[in-house]
């Protein structure tokens, strides 16, 4: 693949812009562990893309055929490219992740499921449509763990109701928690494999309680790293992507 096409695939602009970046001496490249090199030829050809590292205008960027992103979503952000009231989570991501070309789909990475504007925690984004579809599907039973801080003490009866199943307001369908772990009077960990609109909040309301704060701490076996601060993101490792794919075969 030509260098300019590689830059285009990573979201650094149109092919014309990418050729201009190379010709202006703003792009360096290296393979993992190797020395940085430079060319002013946008048509410079790469036979091997694995381990390719780029520096574009001084910013380090590893080549990724598909982008898999873990974001620590802060409160006060909407999971939408066209937010109505609060700023978009996409403002927390660098431009190339928002501009990656997607064949037959919406440009850039997209969130896998959504978190409400006041809900914090682990959010995955990718430009891999198959991954989004499978990880979002309830039939694959990928567990998601939510840290629920309730307004009132969570009783044993309420926990048993959550495990047995409750009928949500304005719905005839029964939903239930896969697991409930109590940490304090008002703090429980709630594990679900589905993700209906405002489901956790509606489940707590159905048993006579109310959510004060909600935080997603885990998807599958992937925990939100303690070192990742609200608003920060990182790439998923190949091993982490493989582990998630294993759950959605």
């Amino acid at each position: 693949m030509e260098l300019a096409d590689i830059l285009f695939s990573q979201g650094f602009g149109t092919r014309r812009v990418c050729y201009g970046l190379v010709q202006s001496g703003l792009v360096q490249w290296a393979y993992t562990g190797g020395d940085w090199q430079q060319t002013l030829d946008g048509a410079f050809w790469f036979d091997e893309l694995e381990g390719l590292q780029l520096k574009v205008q001084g910013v380090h960027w590893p080549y990724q055929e598909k982008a898999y992103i873990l974001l620590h979503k802060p409160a006060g952000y909407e999971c939408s490219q066209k937010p109505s009231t609060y700023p978009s989570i996409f403002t927390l991501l660098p431009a190339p992740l928002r501009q990656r070309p997607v064949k037959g789909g919406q440009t850039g990475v997209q969130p896998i499921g959504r978190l409400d504007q006041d809900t914090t925690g682990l959010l995955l984004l990718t430009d891999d449509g198959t991954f989004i579809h499978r990880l979002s599907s309830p039939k694959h039973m990928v567990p998601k763990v939510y840290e629920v801080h309730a307004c009132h003490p969570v009783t044993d009866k309420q926990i048993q109701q959550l495990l047995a199943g409750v009928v949500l307001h304005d719905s005839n369908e029964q939903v239930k928690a896969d697991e409930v772990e109590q940490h304090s009077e008002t703090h429980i960990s709630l594990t679900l494999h589905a993700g209906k609109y405002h489901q956790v909040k509606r489940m707590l309301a159905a048993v006579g309680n109310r959510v004060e704060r909600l935080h997603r701490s885990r998807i599958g076996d992937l925990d939100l790293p303690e070192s990742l601060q609200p608003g920060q993101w990182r790439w998923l490792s190949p091993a982490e992507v493989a582990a998630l794919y294993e759950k959605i075969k």
Side-chain angles (χ1 to χ4, degrees):
M1 186 184 292
E2 292 183 357
L3 179 54
D5 284 339
I6 291 172
L7 294 172
F8 171 73
S9 76
Q10 300 303 287
F12 284 99
T14 65
R15 285 184 172 85
R16 183 174 181 177
V17 167
C18 292
Y19 272 103
L21 287 170
V22 177
Q23 292 166 357
S24 299
L26 299 175
V27 179
Q28 294 177 283
W29 61 272
Y31 287 100
T32 303
D35 295 329
W36 289 101
Q37 302 183 52
Q38 188 173 50
T39 177
L40 301 182
D41 180 7
F44 187 85
W45 186 268
F46 290 82
D47 291 317
E48 179 60 56
L49 298 178
E50 185 174 350
L52 180 62
Q53 308 290 314
L54 302 166
K55 274 187 184 177
V56 182
Q57 294 179 294
V59 178
H60 179 228
W61 195 267
Y63 170 82
Q64 305 279 352
E65 182 178 0
K66 293 289 185 181
Y68 301 92
I69 300 300
L70 186 159
L71 172 70
H72 185 165
K73 180 193 172 295
Y77 284 82
E78 295 183 26
C79 293
S80 171
Q81 290 187 337
K82 296 179 179 179
S84 58
T85 306
Y86 296 87
S88 168
I89 56 166
F90 291 98
T91 63
L92 302 171
L93 302 176
L97 289 177
R98 306 194 303 267
Q99 298 171 174
R100 287 174 68 95
V102 178
K103 193 172 183 179
Q106 192 169 3
T107 301
V109 296
Q110 304 301 321
I112 304 175
R114 299 196 174 202
L115 296 177
D116 302 335
Q117 61 84 15
D118 58 347
T119 301
T120 62
L122 197 165
L123 185 66
L124 299 179
L125 302 98
T126 183
D127 56 355
D128 183 340
T130 300
F131 191 71
I132 293 174
H133 175 72
R134 292 184 181 178
L135 199 59
S136 301
S137 173
K139 75 177 184 179
H140 289 293
M141 304 289 285
V142 178
K144 301 171 183 68
V145 180
Y146 297 85
E147 306 303 323
V148 182
H149 295 268
C151 292
H152 311 291
V154 182
T155 66
D156 289 339
K157 180 181 178 181
Q158 289 174 343
I159 290 175
Q160 292 309 312
Q161 287 176 303
L162 292 170
L163 291 169
V166 296
V167 177
L168 304 180
H169 179 61
D170 295 334
S171 172
N172 294 322
E173 186 177 357
Q174 188 182 65
V175 296
K176 61 182 180 180
D178 298 333
E179 296 179 35
V180 178
E181 182 179 357
Q182 188 156 21
H183 303 286
S184 72
E185 277 194 338
T186 56
H187 175 200
I188 60 172
S189 293
L190 189 70
T191 303
L192 304 171
H193 69 269
K196 300 181 184 299
Y197 180 71
H198 287 174
Q199 181 169 335
V200 176
K201 295 176 181 178
R202 295 165 72 196
M203 288 177 73
L204 264 287
V207 300
N209 211 320
R210 189 159 58 91
V211 172
E212 182 176 32
R213 285 186 290 119
L214 187 61
H215 177 86
R216 185 159 66 190
S217 58
R218 177 183 293 183
I219 296 177
D221 296 326
L222 183 64
D223 290 304
L224 180 66
E226 292 183 5
S227 60
L228 200 66
Q229 298 301 306
Q232 293 183 335
W233 67 275
R234 70 165 174 82
W235 301 99
L236 289 184
S237 70
E240 289 170 332
V241 174
L244 287 168
Y245 252 116
E246 186 65 29
K247 288 185 174 295
I248 58 176
K249 283 184 176 180

